[in-house]
Amino acid sequence: MLYNEPSPLEVKVISKRFGLPNSASLDTYLATDGYKAFQKALSMEPGQIVDEVKASNLRGRGGAGFPTGMKWSFVPRTSPKPKYIICNADESEPGTCKDRLLMEYDPHQMIEGMMIAARAVDSHAGYIYIRGEYRYLIEIMDRAIAEAYARNYLGKNILGSGFDFDLFTHSGAGAYECGEESALLDSIEGKRGIPRMKPPFPAVSGAWQSPTLLNNVETFSAVPAIIADGGAAFAALGTPKNGGTRLFCLSGHVNKPGVYELPMGFNLLRMIDEVGGGVRGGKKLKAVIPGGSSCPVLKASECDLAMDYDTVAKAGSMLGSGGVVIMDEDTCLVKAALRIMKFYAHESCGWCIPCREGTAWLKKSLQRFHDGFGRESDIDMIGELSKNMLGRTFCALGDAAAMPTISFVEKFRDEFEAHLNGKPCPYEHASELVTA
Ligand SMILES: Cc1cc2nc3c(=O)[nH]c(=O)nc-3n(C[C@H](O)[C@H](O)[C@H](O)COP(=O)(O)O)c2cc1C
Ligand code: SF4
């Protein structure tokens, strides 16, 4: 069974093998130009590879949207230490469910992207850090790696080129925090997954204090197309400084939820109406979280915008990891804020006080408020508490909890007020918020 019906509006670059018979197998990959980009990369100077990725305007698909080519250029290629390539496959952000498809349907594409990165920075070992709940994907990745070793696409002297690269999977234990790159590094080293002080950044001192190039699954998966067709061709698919296509995960109150590959800059309202088939049950759109649960919510009136990093940032939110959560007119946004805060309170690693205590207090306050025991002054208190967390935590999980909450209070104050004075939730019998 295919993940979801493709849309005719999709531009399939990295999802082009989804739905092919045995799409995950090496034979299918080779029959559809697989590993040709790596062979091309072998004939290029490492600096040329980095320049091509820079020219593509590819930005990291894990959340922050950092320019990928620039990150690659930070790795000191001539360092005498070993250099590592790490793929972040922790995918835990509520609303985001794209990396799992890339691994399930096209694992070799991601492996090839990692190999090209290895060639660019002179690395000979890589790890794929997969979230613990993705057990079945670890098996798929292990099978793909074994196939690649058997045909000498991995290992020593790959295809007679003299280039060596070993690749391993590493399972997380199901902690959202271990998707944060420095906590991931501690976890991969066998320690408790808590974030590290930055700088130094992983490119300079990462796994085992060695230079480490760490990117998201989707980021690595885009690399073969960039090398095969040239960075300029990839860049031209998107908007200035936002190259290429990306996988958008449409979830919530939409007729055709699913994962769709669309050019960067695709209009959000068109995405909901023309790709997602419109709001479920013909209801009115109330709000959208454009990039996963850590992004500030957009009101329906703010949704006529191009989905690229810069335009969404200008609108006061973030493109994040591509998790587009659609909420209709019957959604209680106090409950949505509460649901999100329950997640962050549960996932806070407890290392620093503003996040550990702040998320727990916010969860309790939002719960009490939603249950009808809130006071008018609590509305400001919830907003102020969130603002006090912002920028004061050790890693960005604190911000990820604070930012959506601030936006819910500021943009939907009337919904908080509608819960005051012991009134029952006005939406209690309406539809539930569905994510992913
Ligand atoms: C709390 C937290 C969780 C994160 N989880 C993920 C994740 O599951 N997958 C991911 O790729 N990046 C995640 N990130 C972002 C990573 O720290 C990092 O920026 C990213 O993997 C870099 O890859 P990219 O440049 O290709 O986006 C998370 C960040 C934070 C603060
Ligand atoms: S912000 Fe939260 S998740 Fe990050 S280190 Fe502090 S307690 Fe841990």
Side-chain angles (χ1 to χ4, degrees), residues 155-234:
K156 299 266 173 279
N157 190 21
I158 295 172
L159 305 177
S161 64
F163 184 71
D164 304 336
F165 189 62
D166 287 309
L167 187 59
F168 310 91
T169 52
H170 184 104
S171 167
Y176 174 69
E177 177 55 8
C178 287
E180 193 283 330
E181 57 187 10
S182 65
L184 183 155
L185 293 173
D186 265 18
S187 173
I188 226 166
E189 289 180 12
K191 301 174 194 149
R192 176 182 161 198
I194 47 173
R196 297 177 179 176
M197 187 72 89
K198 288 188 252 180
F201 290 95
V204 176
S205 179
W208 299 282
Q209 284 82 52
S210 295
T212 300
L213 183 51
L214 188 147
N215 278 122
N216 168 261
V217 171
E218 189 183 347
T219 313
F220 279 127
S221 297
V223 169
I226 290 169
I227 297 304
D229 303 331
F234 188 82

Side-chain angles (χ1 to χ4, degrees), residues 162-327:
F163 184 71
D164 304 336
F165 189 62
D166 287 309
L167 187 59
F168 310 91
T169 52
H170 184 104
S171 167
Y176 174 69
E177 177 55 8
C178 287
E180 193 283 330
E181 57 187 10
S182 65
L184 183 155
L185 293 173
D186 265 18
S187 173
I188 226 166
E189 289 180 12
K191 301 174 194 149
R192 176 182 161 198
I194 47 173
R196 297 177 179 176
M197 187 72 89
K198 288 188 252 180
F201 290 95
V204 176
S205 179
W208 299 282
Q209 284 82 52
S210 295
T212 300
L213 183 51
L214 188 147
N215 278 122
N216 168 261
V217 171
E218 189 183 347
T219 313
F220 279 127
S221 297
V223 169
I226 290 169
I227 297 304
D229 303 331
F234 188 82
L237 295 171
T239 56
K241 298 191 186 149
N242 292 263
T245 55
R246 85 164 298 172
L247 296 182
F248 289 97
C249 322
L250 264 57
S251 69
H253 303 144
V254 68
N255 281 313
K256 294 189 212 159
V259 178
Y260 301 95
E261 183 172 2
L262 298 165
M264 292 290 272
F266 199 92
N267 180 277
L268 177 54
L269 286 183
R270 282 190 67 208
M271 198 182 289
I272 296 167
D273 290 336
E274 296 174 31
V275 180
V279 179
R280 209 172 58 185
K283 301 258 180 193
K284 275 209 290 218
L285 180 68
K286 185 192 272 188
V288 176
I289 295 174
S293 61
S294 34
C295 304
V297 67
L298 296 171
K299 292 166 92 161
S301 57
E302 297 171 310
C303 289
D304 189 5
L305 87 173
M307 289 288 272
D308 63 44
Y309 290 99
D310 302 322
T311 311
V312 180
K314 229 189 238 169
S317 188
M318 300 184 309
L319 197 63
S321 48
V324 183
V325 183
I326 292 124
M327 292 176 271

Side-chain angles (χ1 to χ4, degrees), residues 51-73:
D51 286 345
E52 217 51 68
V53 177
K54 278 187 181 166
S56 75
N57 287 339
L58 174 66
R59 292 170 66 168
R61 305 299 197 227
F66 192 82
T68 305
M70 195 187 297
K71 186 189 273 190
W72 288 23
S73 71

